[in-house]
Amino acid sequence: QQPVQSPQAVILREGEDAVINCSSSKALYSVHWYRQKHGEAPIFLMILLKGGEQKGHDKISASFNEKKQQSSLYLTASQLSYSGTYFCGTANYYGGSQGNLIFGKGTKLSVKP
Amino acid sequence: ETGVTQSPTHLIKTRGQQVTLRCSSQSGHNTVSWYQQALGQGPQFIFQYYREEENGRGNFPPRFSGLQFPNYSSELNVNALELDDSALYLCASSSQNGEGNGYTFGSGTRLTVV
C-alpha cells in the first residue's frame, strides 16, 4: 500500500525550515528517505527501523513514531542545495531481505535565495 | 567504490517491440531492484533479484522479466512494448548483510515508446 506524503510541494527561502510527512495505514518495518534532483538518481538520505527513533546528519533529520505508521523528515536552515523531490520508501516486512520498498508520490521542495 | 551504472541512458522504441535494459550494481551489493518512474510520480516497484532469483514482484505483467547474473549485474526485459511503458527505469542495488542499508540508485534509462 502506497504511503501518503504531505505536503505535495513547498517553497522556502534560504534559512527557513520544512517538515515533510509520510504516513501509512499499517505499521511499517522500515522507512527510507531519498532526495531526487531533476534528471538525476534518487540519493539515499537515511533509514529508520525502530519505533520512536530519531536520527539525522548535518541539518537533515527524521523521526519514526512509536506505532511505526508515520515518519517525518526535518530540514533545518534550508540551503539552495536542498531543492529537489523528497520521497519516502516504506517496507512492510522483513523476510530475509530489505523488503520491497513502496514509494510515496514525493514532495517537491524549492529553496529560493 | 563504483556506483550503480545503467545502460543505455535513453532509448526510443516502437510499440510492440522488445527492449533490454542493463544495470551494474555497486561493488559489494548482492541485491538488485528495478523501478519504473513516470513523470512527476514516485518510483514503482517492478521486481527484486537476490542471488540470481526473483525475490519479490510488484504489480507488473509477465511481459516484464529480469535476470541477475553471478556478478550481481542485472537485466530488465520488456516484451510487446506499449505506449504506457514510456518512463524512466531505475535500477537500485543494496546489500543483504544486516539491516539499515539504503539503496543506491542508478541514473536510469529513459524509455520512450512511440
Side-chain angles (χ1 to χ4, degrees):
Chain A
Q1 189 171 6
Q2 187 176 39
V4 177
Q5 280 188 242
S6 63
Q8 290 183 322
V10 58
I11 299 174
L12 300 174
R13 292 285 180 189
E14 265 187 299
E16 292 182 337
D17 302 340
V19 180
I20 300 171
N21 298 305
C22 175
S23 297
S24 170
S25 59
K26 296 182 179 180
L28 301 165
Y29 176 75
S30 66
V31 174
H32 294 217
W33 286 97
Y34 292 81
R35 177 173 62 214
Q36 185 178 30
K37 293 183 182 283
H38 184 69
E40 298 181 10
I43 300 298
F44 173 68
L45 296 175
M46 64 189 80
I47 180 175
L48 297 108
L49 292 162
K50 300 175 183 175
E53 182 177 10
Q54 293 193 30
K55 65 173 21 175
H57 50 82
D58 200 8
K59 294 176 182 174
I60 300 176
S61 61
S63 64
F64 201 7
N65 75 344
E66 288 289 344
K67 290 187 176 180
K68 299 184 74 175
Q69 287 183 262
Q70 179 164 343
S71 177
S72 297
L73 185 71
Y74 306 93
L75 301 145
T76 306
S78 58
Q79 305 168 16
L80 295 176
S81 62
Y82 288 2
S83 293
T85 302
Y86 289 78
F87 293 100
C88 67
T90 59
N92 290 321
Y93 65 90
Y94 181 79
S97 72
Q98 291 290 331
N100 307 318
L101 287 186
I102 307 299
F103 285 91
K105 292 186 176 181
T107 296
K108 185 173 181 180
L109 180 77
S110 301
V111 182
K112 307 291 185 186
Chain B
E1 179 180 273
T2 57
V4 174
T5 56
Q6 291 187 242
S7 63
T9 53
H10 295 83
L11 202 53
I12 300 175
K13 287 287 190 178
T14 303
R15 189 172 49 182
Q17 285 188 313
Q18 178 265 343
V19 69
T20 297
L21 310 182
R22 294 179 173 84
C23 170
S24 293
S25 59
Q26 179 169 309
S27 176
H29 285 183
N30 55 16
T31 301
V32 174
S33 303
W34 285 92
Y35 287 83
Q36 181 195 67
Q37 187 176 26
L39 204 59
Q41 300 294 316
Q44 274 199 290
F45 175 68
I46 302 175
F47 43 58
Q48 183 181 77
Y49 277 84
Y50 172 60
R51 291 185 174 176
E52 302 177 54
E53 291 195 2
E54 190 176 286
N55 187 37
R57 188 178 183 91
N59 190 27
F60 280 81
R63 59 190 185 83
F64 285 78
S65 63
L67 286 171
Q68 186 182 31
F69 300 99
N71 65 354
Y72 305 127
S73 66
S74 178
E75 286 182 355
L76 164 65
N77 300 291
V78 187
N79 293 323
L81 284 167
E82 301 177 359
L83 297 179
D84 284 349
D85 295 335
S86 296
L88 180 68
Y89 288 84
L90 294 165
C91 169
S93 72
S94 61
S95 170
Q96 291 300 323
N97 297 324
E99 302 178 351
N101 299 314
Y103 288 13
T104 301
F105 280 87
S107 296
T109 295
R110 172 71 63 186
L111 174 65
T112 302
V113 183
V114 298

